[in-house]
Amino acid sequence: MAQETSRNVGPVVLLGPPGAGKGTQAKRIRERYGIPQVSTGDLLRQNVVQGTELGIAAKAVMARGELVNDDLVCDMVQQRLVLPDCKRGYVLDGFPRTAAQAGWLDALLDHELFDNSRPTRAWPIVISLDVDYNQLLLRITGRRSCPTCGRIYNVHFQPPRTDELCDEAHGTKLVTRNDDRLEVLQPRLTAYQEQTRPVADYYQRTGRLISVNGDLPMDDVTGQIFRILEDHHA
Ligand code: AP5
């Protein structure tokens, strides 16, 4: 599909449990609409690799599959959203994930109502990816990613052409995420049920949640999402 980069899009919020396909779909939205993917997981992992103060605080928490402190995450998101590439919109992948983060985002967008450069309030388009538990297990245990270009693969559903090597980044060896180990999966799913499900319920109550069937093949999920975004702007 052709790229569409002339109008404002979103902000778009992708909600869903670990392995639901948020990162995969966020990249496709980024490519189609030319808006940045703001992934709190990726930003935190970058901080861990760079050894920043935030990364040092987040490292052990992430390895246990728990959520990083709300204030730290909100500060990090705020610093990202003020960058000029977010002016036409952005897709939030993995944020908000707690009731406090959702409230913080609403307050941020409310504030934009009074910013003369943005005359209308920018309600987020909140899309929930609903995926069956057994499918999540396969997606998480089969996920591999390229440390050079960030491309995500899956040994079950989207394998690279050559085993364990990236198709694009000159054959870089693919890696498994530290928190994709089976023993970390359960705490991640528990954090989702206890802390992130209430966020989906909040958006549902306020009439803003749009659910898509995330069990379908990637292209079908993308089709559902693009239709929602097109309808929203029609
Ligand atoms: P984060 O990086 O956000 O991880 P997550 O939410 O657990 O989500 P994943 O990245 O595991 O999955 P995804 O939904 O993006 O799926 P993907 O597209 O990769 O967070 C990591 C950690 O950081 C957290 O545990 C927490 O500690 C911390 N953190 C992050 N944000 C935070 C926040 N806001 N507050 C506090 N702490 C925070 O797909 C998965 C696999 O499935 C891939 O292999 C893919 O190829 C495959 N796949 C995708 N779609 C399909 C499909 N339709 N069919 C078949 N296969 C598919």
Side-chain angles (χ1 to χ4, degrees):
M1 203 181 274
Q3 214 192 18
E4 169 61 76
T5 55
S6 56
R7 55 182 153 89
N8 294 353
V9 179
V12 181
V13 170
L14 291 183
L15 288 182
K22 302 180 295 294
T24 301
Q25 298 301 330
K27 286 180 178 55
R28 292 176 175 205
I29 295 171
R30 180 188 71 193
E31 278 154 25
R32 164 120 176 85
Y33 294 99
I35 58 172
Q37 168 195 12
V38 177
S39 158
T40 43
D42 287 349
L43 290 171
L44 287 167
R45 280 184 287 277
Q46 273 166 27
N47 275 277
V48 170
V49 169
Q50 290 161 2
T52 65
E53 209 175 311
L54 169 61
I56 292 165
K59 187 174 179 182
V61 179
M62 292 172 77
R64 289 196 300 271
E66 295 166 9
L67 295 187
V68 176
N69 171 284
D70 285 330
D71 291 340
L72 293 178
V73 173
C74 291
D75 281 352
M76 177 184 78
V77 170
Q78 177 141 35
Q79 284 172 32
R80 179 64 188 87
L81 297 187
V82 296
L83 297 184
D85 64 338
C86 290
K87 272 212 171 328
R88 274 199 319 108
Y90 42 87
V91 50
L92 287 168
D93 156 14
F95 183 92
R97 234 170 160 106
T98 64
Q101 292 177 15
W104 178 88
L105 181 64
D106 272 358
L108 180 89
L109 296 175
D110 245 345
H111 180 74
E112 289 186 351
L113 181 63
F114 302 105
D115 174 352
N116 290 334
S117 65
R118 291 186 79 131
T120 52
R121 180 180 183 152
W123 278 114
I125 304 169
V126 185
I127 299 174
S128 166
L129 300 174
D130 298 342
V131 181
D132 171 78
Y133 177 77
N134 290 324
Q135 177 69 208
L136 290 178
L137 286 187
L138 283 175
R139 289 190 189 178
I140 288 190
T141 54
R143 173 168 46 196
R144 304 286 182 275
S145 58
C146 173
T148 305
C149 72
R151 184 164 164 190
I152 304 172
Y153 296 85
N154 191 288
V155 297
H156 307 296
F157 305 112
Q158 201 185 37
R161 285 194 292 272
T162 308
D163 256 7
E164 303 294 333
L165 297 182
C166 182
D167 293 347
E168 286 169 14
H170 307 295
T172 305
K173 190 161 172 32
L174 301 178
V175 294
T176 303
R177 247 168 62 178
N178 190 30
D179 59 351
D180 278 349
R181 287 169 294 134
L182 218 45
E183 62 271 28
V184 187
L185 179 57
Q186 198 49 53
R188 286 169 68 198
L189 289 170
T190 303
Y192 174 76
Q193 282 303 335
E194 292 180 355
Q195 291 167 276
T196 310
R197 283 291 319 190
V199 174
D201 296 343
Y202 163 70
Y203 285 125
Q204 177 92 55
R205 276 198 311 280
T206 50
R208 289 186 273 165
L209 189 76
I210 307 170
S211 295
V212 305
N213 181 353
D215 275 329
L216 297 176
M218 287 172 207
D219 290 349
D220 296 345
V221 178
T222 307
Q224 294 178 75
I225 292 174
F226 285 177
R227 271 194 296 283
I228 291 166
L229 299 183
E230 295 303 321
D231 287 351
H232 194 85
H233 290 282

